[in-house]
Amino acid sequence: MFVYADNAATTSISKTALDAMLPYLTENYGNPSSLYAFGQKAAEALAEARQTIAACINAEPREITFTSGGSEADNQALLSAAKLGERKGKKHIISTAFEHHAVLHCLARLEKEGFSVTLLDPHEDGVIRLEDVEKALREDTCLVSIMFANNEIGTVQPIAEIGALCRSRGIPFHTDAVQAAGHMPIDVKAMQIDMLSLSGHKFHAPKGVGVLFARKGLLLTNLIEGGGQERGKRAGTENVAGIVAMAAALKESCANMEKDNARIIPMRDKLFTELSKIPHSKINGSLEHHVPGTVNMCFEGIEGESLLLMLDDRGICASSGSACTSGSLDPSHVLLSIGLPHEVAHGSLRLSIGEYNTMEEIDYIIETVPQVVSYLRSMSPVWDELEKGLRPHLI
Amino acid sequence: MALYSEKVMDHFRNPRNVGQIDDADGIGEVGNAKCGDIMRMYIKVDDASQTITDVKFNTFGCGSAIATSSMATEMILGKTVQEALSMSNRAVVEALDGLPPHKIHCSVLAEQAVRAAVKDYYDRKGIAYNPEDFPEVDEDELHDHCGL
């Protein structure tokens, strides 16, 4: 059996998205900047896509900037807010220790340029507390950037509360909503979000296309100079087909959200319930504040990469916060940020499911994971010591 | 291209000599759970000929940690303990048709696990050896890769 359970990494393109984009790869290949009617057809498609996407998050079309994806949107959001802050002599940024690297590495760069950055630690449940944000605010804070939902452990942050706090202090608030868009309701007005990043391929659009929402009046800084596309804020001929597909995919995901989640959540919960029966396992991240599809667990005495390779051999695509899977050799910064010891964080597994998964596939995962965990434990000297009481169990 | 060579995957999927030896003549354990890899090597030695007559391993770690352990056991089985000491991590890497650069430390661990088992054998039997053959493992260098 082949089971794709890594939807937080990327998703397949939906038929709706593919059908919507195909004409713009074939007959309607015009450049939206061209004057003639053939080019204007593409321009109209862009305008419609902008409107559709704006409607999905309750924004205005002119507040939508198309980018190459979530990372570009995050970079542009952070650098823009930093630039605006700098002009007013405000050079302090608040974010969290478990952001995506698109945010963390961008903040590291800003730090080198003289900004001071406060990274808040989530609590053990993987949720940032509003009071921690409030305590960290300073006179010179020019940006708060806190992700909507964490990509590894799936925990959802109190976005509306943080939005209200920032708005009341007049501080721009950015959220990386890459894991939430298309899977959870987003309302930038009600949640008082000033900037928001999303990425098409996380909700069944193609890779290489994303959005930066920036509230009216918030001046963006260009990352790419060139032509006047995107109101002069993002040069380069638009990825028309990708943008059209993204709009179609987001519209579909939002329209079907309730129905899809009613199927996904019971599958996710079955994974949690059944895989928790593995002795000395641990669920990472609060179940109360959780995206529908992501499951993250640790299994003591084993290492994540060997777990993934064995699951791959059995047809299951999954992911791990293990050091060894990433090329960097540290275990996941996310798992460390919620207080897991190194040796436990190495044994993590992330399964992320979507509306295309079936209960049969979930049952196959539930049958396979315990077998692989117990096989790897049987050859693990760490497990041997845990079992003999020579080493204390940490979970 | 796949992350690992076919040989690595073969030794990962079908590791040779997995297990423990209850009456081992030497046991060596190296690595650190915090860094995500620990290898434990058991050897049985024929005292007269100094030949390794049995070898088993237990490993906690990634695919290449398991594969290098497995390969190392194959390479020293039937060899004398002196020959086992001359097995380099490079030889293990070559026998596996290569490892990705950030996985080379797994082969270093495998070499050190063998050395540690032989040293334990010498210590248990009261056999004199040149301490220079068993330099102290530089923990900092070994764990450099995991940021501890």
Side-chain angles (χ1 to χ4, degrees):
Chain A
M1 190 181 258
F2 175 79
V3 182
Y4 185 77
D6 203 14
N7 287 277
T10 195
T11 60
S12 60
I13 300 182
S14 67
K15 189 176 181 307
T16 307
L18 185 66
D19 287 347
M21 80 188 290
L22 276 176
Y24 296 92
L25 291 170
T26 52
E27 65 261 36
N28 297 330
Y29 55 84
N31 187 326
S33 299
S34 298
L35 179 71
Y36 40 78
F38 183 59
Q40 286 307 301
K41 211 181 238 181
E44 280 160 26
L46 272 187
E48 199 185 319
R50 201 181 303 280
Q51 208 153 18
T52 303
I53 287 171
C56 289
I57 61 171
N58 195 23
E60 306 301 324
R62 58 191 284 203
E63 297 173 321
I64 301 296
T65 301
F66 294 123
T67 67
S68 64
S71 292
E72 186 189 331
D74 283 340
N75 273 264
Q76 191 165 16
L78 268 51
L79 295 176
S80 300
K83 188 77 103 184
L84 290 171
E86 198 170 22
R87 281 192 203 160
K88 297 178 194 159
K90 296 183 173 185
K91 296 183 75 170
H92 175 240
I93 299 172
I94 297 169
S95 187
T96 77
F98 72 163
E99 293 295 313
H100 191 274
H101 285 122
V103 168
L104 289 179
H105 289 177
C106 192
L107 291 174
R109 174 174 152 188
L110 287 168
E111 247 179 338
K112 278 189 196 149
E113 292 172 11
F115 283 80
S116 91
V117 175
T118 302
L119 293 182
L120 303 173
D121 274 322
H123 286 220
E124 273 178 24
D125 59 3
V127 181
I128 296 289
R129 297 295 189 272
L130 182 68
E131 53 268 30
D132 291 345
V133 181
E134 192 161 13
K135 269 185 236 151
L137 289 175
R138 304 194 327 208
E139 278 302 310
D140 63 341
T141 304
C142 64
L143 172 68
V144 173
S145 177
I146 293 175
M147 65 199 327
F148 204 112
N150 183 269
N151 49 316
E152 283 188 37
I153 56 176
T155 49
V156 178
Q157 308 308 313
I159 294 302
E161 290 82 349
I162 298 169
L165 170 68
C166 292
R167 188 66 54 88
S168 74
R169 304 286 182 94
I171 298 165
F173 171 46
H174 165 253
T175 184
D176 173 340
V178 164
Q179 292 294 333
H183 306 292
M184 307 188 71
I186 296 177
D187 183 327
V188 293
K189 288 199 177 82
M191 295 172 168
Q192 305 187 63
I193 296 165
D194 295 302
M195 286 187 284
L196 175 144
S197 311
L198 61 84
S199 177
H201 74 108
K202 308 290 191 187
F203 51 81
H204 305 292
K207 293 156 191 67
V209 65
V211 164
L212 172 60
F213 153 81
R215 198 158 74 98
K216 200 169 52 189
L218 205 149
L219 185 67
L220 292 180
T221 299
N222 289 31
L223 299 185
I224 303 175
E225 301 293 350
Q229 292 89 354
E230 300 301 291
R231 302 169 318 285
K233 293 301 160 200
R234 204 282 185 180
T237 300
E238 301 87 342
N239 174 4
V240 179
I243 289 166
V244 167
M246 174 168 62
L250 187 60
K251 186 178 177 185
E252 182 175 55
S253 291
C254 291
N256 295 342
M257 197 178 286
E258 233 172 282
K259 188 177 74 171
D260 288 341
N261 288 344
R263 272 194 62 240
I264 295 168
I265 291 170
M267 291 196 282
R268 174 199 73 187
D269 289 346
K270 189 170 184 188
L271 283 173
F272 275 134
T273 308
E274 295 302 318
L275 296 182
S276 293
K277 291 179 182 165
I278 295 175
H280 301 287
S281 60
K282 179 184 184 301
I283 293 172
N284 297 319
S286 156
L287 294 182
E288 271 171 68
H289 310 278
H290 218 88
V291 290
T294 300
V295 169
N296 191 307
M297 294 185 67
C298 283
F299 305 105
E300 205 176 11
I302 63 167
E303 194 282 324
E305 189 209 73
S306 42
L307 176 59
L308 291 194
L309 289 171
M310 301 217 81
L311 291 176
D312 184 27
D313 268 352
R314 286 153 184 76
I316 298 171
C317 303
S319 158
S320 171
S322 139
C324 295
T325 59
S326 57
S328 88
L329 290 152
D330 275 323
S332 143
H333 69 288
V334 174
L335 298 178
L336 296 180
S337 81
I338 59 168
L340 291 186
H342 275 72
E343 45 271 67
V344 173
H346 280 296
S348 71
L349 173 68
R350 181 186 74 180
L351 298 159
S352 46
I353 56 170
E355 58 270 42
Y356 299 152
N357 288 107
T358 63
M359 206 45 114
E360 199 191 351
E361 292 174 344
I362 300 305
D363 289 338
Y364 178 67
I365 294 173
I366 288 166
E367 182 193 321
T368 309
V369 172
Q371 292 169 0
V372 172
V373 169
S374 89
Y375 169 73
L376 289 171
R377 281 177 171 175
S378 77
M379 70 159 84
S380 162
V382 175
W383 184 250
D384 184 48
E385 288 177 5
L386 289 165
E387 284 296 276
K388 287 179 177 155
L390 301 171
R391 179 189 279 276
H393 279 287
L394 297 173
I395 55 175
Chain B
M1 207 195 88
L3 175 63
Y4 292 129
S5 70
E6 271 305 312
K7 268 246 177 82
V8 173
M9 286 310 292
D10 176 41
H11 276 264
F12 168 68
R13 289 188 181 114
N14 312 294
R16 282 54 145 182
N17 307 308
V18 176
Q20 305 184 356
I21 300 176
D22 289 336
D23 58 344
D25 297 315
I27 302 175
E29 184 172 305
V30 294
N32 181 329
K34 287 187 175 180
C35 290
D37 35 33
I38 292 188
M39 290 181 194
R40 194 194 287 162
M41 200 75 79
Y42 301 78
I43 53 172
K44 192 87 189 133
V45 182
D46 176 61
D47 289 334
S49 63
Q50 295 279 291
T51 305
I52 297 172
T53 56
D54 196 9
V55 52
K56 291 270 187 282
F57 80 89
N58 269 184
T59 287
F60 159 83
C62 59
S64 65
I66 291 170
T68 52
S69 312
S70 166
M71 180 53 90
T73 61
E74 266 202 336
M75 289 170 73
I76 64 167
L77 184 61
K79 301 282 168 56
T80 67
V81 288
Q82 266 307 324
E83 286 169 330
L85 285 178
S86 66
M87 182 199 75
S88 70
N89 80 296
R90 271 279 131 213
V92 176
V93 174
E94 277 164 29
L96 286 168
D97 293 341
L99 283 175
H102 64 285
K103 298 289 188 178
I104 296 295
H105 76 272
C106 293
S107 68
V108 176
L109 273 185
E111 180 195 310
Q112 285 171 345
V114 170
R115 285 180 173 276
V118 171
K119 183 172 185 289
D120 185 47
Y121 164 72
Y122 283 162
D123 286 339
R124 288 189 197 199
K125 300 282 170 172
I127 298 173
Y129 53 83
N130 181 359
E132 283 176 16
D133 285 344
F134 302 96
E136 284 289 310
V137 175
D138 184 341
E139 290 279 322
D140 285 345
E141 198 180 322
L142 190 61
H143 297 148
D144 196 30
H145 68 272
C146 63
L148 278 183

